[in-house]
Amino acid sequence: MRSRYTAFAVGELAWLARTHDPATLEAFDAEDVRQWNAGNRWISLTILGTEAGLEADDAGRVRFEARFKRADGEHSLREDSAFRRVDGRWVYVDGESLPD
C-alpha cells in the first residue's frame, strides 16, 4: 500500500502497473491515471485499518485516506482496497471509495 502511494506521489505509473493484480490489470488505464494524477501534490497517507494481509495470509484489505493538493484546493482519497498475494508478492486487486 505504501509503495503504491509513493508511486502516485512520484508519478511512477510502471510501478502501479507492476503491483496491480494480473487478473484485474485490464481495468488499469495508465493514461487515465497519469491525467488524473497530473498536478496532484501528495501530502499524506493514513492507514485507517487493515483486515488480514499478514505473512500467513493470501489476501487482505487496507482502508486508507490519502491527502493531496491540486490547484483548486486540498482533497482526500478514501478507499477500502483489496490485495492478494500472487507468486509471493502483494498486488492490488480493486478498491471501493469510502465516504468522507
Side-chain angles (χ1 to χ4, degrees):
M1 179 65 237
R2 285 181 173 85
S3 75
R4 288 180 58 83
Y5 169 82
T6 300
F8 273 103
V10 300
E12 184 56 51
L13 299 181
W15 181 253
L16 294 173
R18 279 195 304 274
T19 58
H20 206 289
D21 185 349
T24 60
L25 185 57
E26 66 189 33
F28 178 76
D29 185 325
E31 183 57 24
D32 282 351
V33 172
R34 186 192 66 73
Q35 287 180 15
W36 176 83
N37 197 42
N40 290 351
R41 186 170 63 80
W42 293 89
I43 302 167
S44 66
L45 172 67
T46 303
I47 303 300
L48 304 172
T50 61
E51 180 181 315
L54 300 175
E55 192 163 329
D57 297 320
D58 288 326
R61 301 193 76 78
V62 177
R63 286 172 301 289
F64 70 89
E65 177 178 35
R67 302 197 65 72
F68 61 97
K69 284 187 179 179
R70 298 182 66 91
D72 63 347
E74 192 170 309
H75 302 271
S76 70
L77 171 65
R78 294 171 50 92
E79 186 174 294
D80 181 3
S81 299
F83 290 84
R84 73 181 186 109
R85 196 183 308 261
V86 174
D87 296 329
R89 62 187 186 94
W90 289 100
V91 295
Y92 174 82
V93 177
D94 61 17
E96 181 177 317
S97 293
L98 296 172
D100 289 330

